[in-house]
Amino acid sequence: GLFGPFTFIIQQDIDREMSFQSYVKPSPDISPEFVPYTFQILSQMLELHQGEVPTEYRAFLPFLLQPSSWAQKGSIPGLVRLLKAFMRRDAAQMASSGQFTSVLAVVQQKLIPSKVNDVWGFELLQAIIHYIPASALNQYMKSIMTMLLTRLQTSRTDNYLYYMIYFTFFSMAVQAEGLTPDFIIGAVEQVQTQ
């Protein structure tokens, strides 16, 4: 049979308000090759949803941040897109609850160290910089820059160098409250004082 979420979408009128409770709880007999599509569909639904983020989505966020969710390589693009949608739509909640620090942990432990997945780490970092208030990020910037510079020094690739430069300039140019070029320069200078 079809994977539960696909069946749910087919059976529902997309224009109506949807209940996500059954949708976000996958059944145990799910075929692993369909899991990445679920994350992509959930992200698109969250991006298109009008109004406040449904509580069912918020309840699903801790599952997304577990290491086991990131084990399947094919799920990473969908997970990144879904987390970016969360930050775009619910940054205040993620900042006040501290959940963005779990996103930082995923970036630091799973994505940036991997030559295959570092691009996804930079995408999440850009979303964090763009949507999470600078006041909440300030205490983590030194560790973010240390992580990025350490990877640059230990296992540089051309792609990594490109994305590192892009991230740095993006962070200096993005229009976000409290985020100026001095914010990023200050984080780099904190690393250099070690």
Side-chain angles (χ1 to χ4, degrees):
L2 284 175
F3 180 49
F6 292 115
T7 304
F8 180 81
I9 289 172
I10 291 168
Q11 293 172 348
Q12 297 297 313
D13 179 4
I14 299 292
D15 295 330
R16 291 187 318 191
E17 185 67 28
M18 294 184 192
S19 170
F20 296 101
Q21 289 174 345
S22 62
Y23 186 75
V24 297
K25 295 180 183 170
S27 65
D29 60 338
I30 294 173
S31 181
E33 61 265 9
F34 292 121
V35 172
Y37 299 111
T38 303
F39 295 132
Q40 291 174 7
I41 291 169
L42 283 169
S43 66
Q44 186 169 22
M45 291 171 71
L46 180 57
E47 290 164 358
L48 296 174
H49 182 77
Q50 301 296 316
E52 194 161 320
V53 174
T55 56
E56 293 84 7
Y57 263 99
R58 285 186 177 147
F60 190 52
L61 187 57
F63 168 76
L64 300 176
L65 298 171
Q66 293 176 0
S68 59
S69 298
W70 296 83
Q72 185 180 357
K73 181 182 168 189
S75 294
I76 291 175
L79 284 165
V80 168
R81 182 176 175 186
L82 185 52
L83 287 175
K84 285 171 55 178
F86 263 108
M87 285 184 270
R88 183 175 23 254
R89 297 290 313 280
D90 209 20
Q93 171 67 24
M94 290 184 77
S96 66
S97 68
Q99 288 177 310
F100 78 94
T101 60
S102 297
V103 178
L104 283 173
V106 167
V107 169
Q108 187 171 12
Q109 296 167 10
K110 289 278 188 187
L111 301 178
I112 293 296
S114 166
K115 290 181 180 180
V116 175
N117 296 318
D118 54 9
V119 64
W120 302 113
F122 280 112
E123 278 202 34
L124 278 179
L125 279 176
Q126 288 170 16
I128 290 168
I129 291 290
H130 191 207
Y131 299 112
I132 301 299
S135 58
L137 277 177
N138 194 32
Q139 64 181 325
Y140 301 101
M141 286 307 296
K142 180 179 177 182
S143 64
I144 290 170
M145 295 310 294
T146 300
M147 167 194 62
L148 295 175
L149 293 170
T150 300
R151 164 69 201 279
L152 183 65
Q153 197 171 34
T154 58
S155 59
R156 174 191 324 198
T157 64
D158 290 340
N159 275 346
Y160 184 83
L161 182 59
Y162 170 80
Y163 287 112
M164 173 73 179
I165 292 169
Y166 185 91
F167 168 75
T168 303
F169 285 120
F170 172 87
S171 300
M172 289 188 208
V174 70
Q175 298 294 313
E177 187 177 331
L179 195 61
T180 65
D182 291 336
F183 186 79
I184 302 302
I185 292 168
V188 173
E189 287 177 346
Q190 286 180 349
V191 173
Q192 289 179 333
T193 61
Q194 290 181 348

